[in-house]
Amino acid sequence: MSTNERLAALSAAGVSIWLDDLSRERLNSGNLLELINDWYVVGVTTNPTIFASALSKGEAYDPQVRELASRGADVAAAIREITVADVQQACDLFSGTWESTGGTDGRVSLEVDPTLARDTEATVAQALDLWKAVDRPNLLVKIPATQEGLPAITRALAEGVSVNVTLIFSVERYEHVMGAYLDGLEQAAANGQALASIQSVASFFVSRVDTEIDKRLEAIGSDEAMALRGKAGLANSRLAYAAFEKVFASDRWKALEAKGANPQRPLWASTGVKNPDYPDTMYVTELVVANTVNTMPEATLKAFADHGEVHGDRVTGRAEEAQKVFDDLEAVGIDLTDVFLTLENEGVDKFEKSWGELQETVQAQLDAAK
């Protein structure tokens, strides 16, 4: 089977293939265009870590940095202009995809400043600001699913902003995210917004769940505990999909759908395999199901293109089996509430750290360009 056939089969199964990476180098070299044309890539996600990495490598940003330095831009303004420019260019590259899929795909995500993750008001203000600054209908503003992020998600949607909800680890929090989405659509309708133009995805993190739970299972060390390694991430995702099916079959949803609303698709994030003992395409092959997005690092995309397999729907109807994995995890002593709290706090901290690195890199480049 050729590269294209594997990716074509994944796409035909209802999985939208998004790339979890963006850089000026990718844009300028034609690499992203090639991925769109030949690799079935129909969207891009970014985060502070991705931008920190992009800016620390190569010279693609040098002309813009020199121009920013010449007019005395501070580091915050520079980061905003640099990231907005990349995202605008990517949005334009995906405009054909956006049109041909009726706005479902062809999406590019840009995250609010992660240091605002615990501040509802500041997150709302920045989400609206980024929406206006990028000024592209196929943008998704990324807002974290923290307790403080939930009302911000609702309020951004109510203003007609399309949202990628990020850093979702537990099914319980995911249910709150879907609630925030429906609240936002109801308020948007009351505000006179056209619901058909609002899109959203809910980014449910996969591999990080296994990394954290596997570490705890290995510390327990019993045969029962060791036999459960590598099972939690997929089980969690399957339970999440069952929750998605329930919410988007409800009467409350049907009333919104009648007004033109789009369902909020689950997006499988963190699908690069961290443990070399597991198949490198595990979080793609095992999460094939219609109406989902899988955002992959390029290494995972290429691995799937090379040797990935589509065995049909691996998710629907497997909630009971997934719940048993969770029951077994609790039986061997895994505190799932603590796991999910740890993952959320770590997720926010990691993005804050990357944001700090991004600020340092850009500041150093501005200083050097003066």
Side-chain angles (χ1 to χ4, degrees):
M1 192 183 266
S2 72
T3 293
N4 284 15
E5 285 172 325
R6 289 190 179 91
L7 296 170
L10 185 61
S11 179
V15 178
S16 290
I17 302 166
W18 290 8
L19 179 72
D20 193 23
D21 194 42
L22 183 63
S23 67
R24 188 73 50 89
E25 174 64 27
R26 269 193 200 284
L27 291 160
N28 291 351
S29 67
N31 167 267
L32 184 57
L33 187 60
E34 182 201 333
L35 293 174
I36 294 168
N37 290 339
D38 302 336
W39 293 74
Y40 288 85
V41 169
V42 293
V44 156
T45 46
T46 68
N47 60 45
T49 307
I50 284 167
F51 279 121
S53 171
L55 270 138
S56 66
K57 293 176 194 153
E59 295 153 11
Y61 294 96
D62 289 0
Q64 189 176 12
V65 170
R66 280 197 296 272
E67 191 270 325
L68 287 160
S70 73
R71 56 185 161 91
D74 64 15
V75 70
I79 288 172
R80 181 191 146 102
E81 287 198 38
I82 288 165
T83 55
V84 163
D86 276 3
V87 168
Q88 285 176 323
Q89 202 178 333
C91 281
D92 292 344
L93 272 186
F94 279 109
S95 60
T97 309
W98 178 76
E99 282 171 15
S100 66
T101 61
T104 303
D105 285 315
R107 295 275 166 180
V108 184
S109 296
L110 178 59
E111 189 150 347
V112 295
D113 175 345
T115 62
L116 309 177
R118 309 285 182 199
D119 185 334
T120 303
E121 296 302 322
T123 296
V124 172
Q126 196 176 64
L128 295 175
D129 182 48
L130 289 174
W131 183 251
K132 288 192 185 85
V134 175
D135 193 26
R136 299 293 188 277
N138 49 336
L139 174 70
L140 290 174
V141 177
K142 254 186 166 179
I143 300 176
T146 55
Q147 208 62 58
E148 299 82 359
L150 293 169
I153 292 158
T154 294
R155 284 169 52 190
L157 290 160
E159 297 297 327
V161 174
S162 290
V163 175
N164 175 346
V165 184
T166 189
L167 292 177
I168 309 171
F169 296 99
S170 72
V171 175
E172 182 185 15
R173 181 58 57 85
Y174 177 42
E175 286 169 340
H176 294 156
V177 166
M178 290 187 284
Y181 179 60
L182 299 186
D183 289 345
L185 290 177
E186 285 162 354
Q187 290 178 27
N191 290 344
Q193 299 282 353
L195 298 191
S197 67
I198 300 171
Q199 284 280 354
S200 182
V201 291
S203 295
F204 202 80
F205 280 55
V206 189
S207 67
R208 289 192 199 180
V209 173
D210 275 336
T211 301
E212 181 62 29
I213 289 181
D214 283 2
K215 185 173 71 179
R216 297 181 186 213
L217 290 168
E218 283 158 15
I220 293 164
S222 67
D223 290 349
E224 292 85 358
M226 298 301 270
L228 290 165
R229 286 179 303 171
K231 293 187 174 175
L234 294 172
N236 199 33
S237 304
R238 286 167 179 149
L239 289 169
Y241 194 80
F244 159 75
E245 288 186 303
K246 187 174 173 188
V247 167
F248 289 94
S250 67
D251 289 341
R252 185 183 178 196
W253 165 248
K254 283 175 183 161
L256 287 161
E257 190 176 35
K259 294 177 181 174
N262 302 292
Q264 181 188 54
R265 290 183 297 168
L267 178 151
W268 310 128
S270 176
T271 55
V273 172
K274 311 278 196 291
N275 186 332
D277 294 340
Y278 302 154
D280 57 0
T281 58
M282 174 167 101
Y283 301 123
V284 183
T285 296
E286 294 298 326
L287 292 175
V288 169
V289 60
N291 301 314
T292 55
V293 178
N294 195 311
T295 188
M296 309 174 205
E298 188 172 19
T300 305
L301 174 71
K302 298 263 166 100
F304 193 88
D306 180 64
H307 53 263
E309 294 176 340
V310 176
H311 302 292
D313 183 344
R314 307 288 275 187
V315 177
T316 310
R318 296 182 72 173
E320 203 173 307
E321 169 195 337
Q323 185 57 51
K324 184 173 186 321
V325 171
F326 272 47
D327 294 344
D328 292 347
L329 287 167
E330 291 192 311
V332 299
I334 298 293
D335 181 345
L336 292 165
T337 304
D338 183 67
V339 165
F340 294 130
L341 186 63
T342 299
L343 285 167
E344 181 178 297
N345 289 335
E346 273 182 6
V348 172
D349 290 348
K350 276 180 186 168
F351 282 166
E352 280 191 13
K353 186 166 174 278
S354 296
W355 192 255
E357 288 165 7
L358 179 59
Q359 289 174 312
E360 284 170 23
T361 302
V362 172
Q363 187 62 63
Q365 290 180 356
L366 287 170
D367 292 343
K370 281 175 185 167

